[in-house]
């Protein structure tokens, strides 16, 4: 992982994403398609963790709102990922209220679990999770831990950005993500999460 627990892949694309968003705000439809391509995999994985099989419909609704309100967005690539995650979360919670069911983490697309970089215990644990296994493991986490893990690992947000999406303090989100990843590692029979892994997940710059 990169600094602050962001997957290095997402962080590496933030410059490209920010430039694409700026062009899209000027009416460049091709640039909007680029922004969609960069954001959609993580966003879909996050929404899948909230609403399960209805994720594609909910995410499509979120993108309609994103496109409608794009002119109001101000920020860089990382900020855009956080903004889109907030919109998607609102649409997911609206959907769940309509369905009168609780958020339930579900199967995640395998490619969003791509965690390059230094190999810590929780990274190796997550890399070992199959799509089906992810359903059983993430579904067993408390909701706050599941959402924190999804936002930090799947969407690639840093601690403060994930906290803004959830409306919580950064420290609470860091703790929830750490505990969730530690529990996943333990369920896979891995060793305890190292102090280095904790610092990597907990510090955001």
């Amino acid at each position: 992982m990169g600094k602050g627990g962001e997957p290095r892949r997402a962080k590496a694309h933030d410059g490209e994403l920010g430039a694409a968003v700026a062009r899209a705000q000027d009416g460049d439809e091709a640039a909007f398609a680029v922004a969609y391509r960069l954001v959609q995999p993580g966003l879909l994985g996050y929404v899948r963790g909230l609403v399960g099989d209805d994720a594609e419909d909910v995410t499509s609704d979120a993108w309609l709102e994103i496109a409608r309100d794009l002119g109001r967005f101000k920020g860089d690539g990382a900020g855009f990922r956080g903004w889109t995650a907030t919109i998607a979360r609102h649409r997911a919670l609206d959907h769940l209220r309509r369905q009168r069911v609780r958020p339930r983490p579900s199967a995640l697309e395998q490619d969003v679990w791509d965690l390059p970089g230094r190999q810590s215990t929780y990274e190796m644990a997550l890399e070992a999770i199959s799509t089906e296994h992810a359903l059983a493991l993430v579904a067993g986490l408390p909701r706050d831990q599941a959402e924190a893990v999804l936002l930090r690992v799947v969407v690639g947000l840093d601690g403060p950005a994930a906290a803004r999406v959830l409306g919580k303090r950064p420290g609470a989100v860091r703790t929830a993500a750490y505990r969730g990843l530690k529990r996943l590692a333990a369920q896979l029979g891995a060793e305890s999460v190292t102090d280095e892994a904790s610092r990597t997940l907990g510090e955001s710059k």
Side-chain angles (χ1 to χ4, degrees), residues 101-123:
V101 297
R102 296 180 59 189
R104 58 189 188 285
S106 185
L108 304 174
E109 302 212 358
Q110 184 61 29
D111 60 352
V112 301
W113 287 105
D114 179 16
L115 299 172
R118 293 176 296 178
Q119 293 293 301
S120 64
T121 301
Y122 68 83
E123 288 182 32

Side-chain angles (χ1 to χ4, degrees), residues 56-140:
E56 291 190 7
D57 290 340
V58 172
T59 306
S60 294
D61 288 343
W63 276 106
L64 289 174
E65 183 173 343
I66 291 164
R68 184 194 69 196
D69 295 342
L70 184 63
R72 301 178 186 178
F73 171 73
K74 295 181 180 179
D76 56 11
F80 185 74
R81 284 190 288 112
W83 183 66
T84 57
T86 299
I87 291 174
R89 183 174 191 264
H90 289 164
R91 297 290 71 75
L93 295 180
D94 286 345
H95 174 79
L96 290 167
R97 279 191 286 268
R98 288 194 299 269
Q99 297 296 320
R100 295 181 180 275
V101 297
R102 296 180 59 189
R104 58 189 188 285
S106 185
L108 304 174
E109 302 212 358
Q110 184 61 29
D111 60 352
V112 301
W113 287 105
D114 179 16
L115 299 172
R118 293 176 296 178
Q119 293 293 301
S120 64
T121 301
Y122 68 83
E123 288 182 32
M124 289 186 289
L126 289 173
E127 287 175 349
I129 300 176
S130 66
T131 300
E132 295 78 12
H133 204 183
L135 170 60
L137 292 176
V138 179

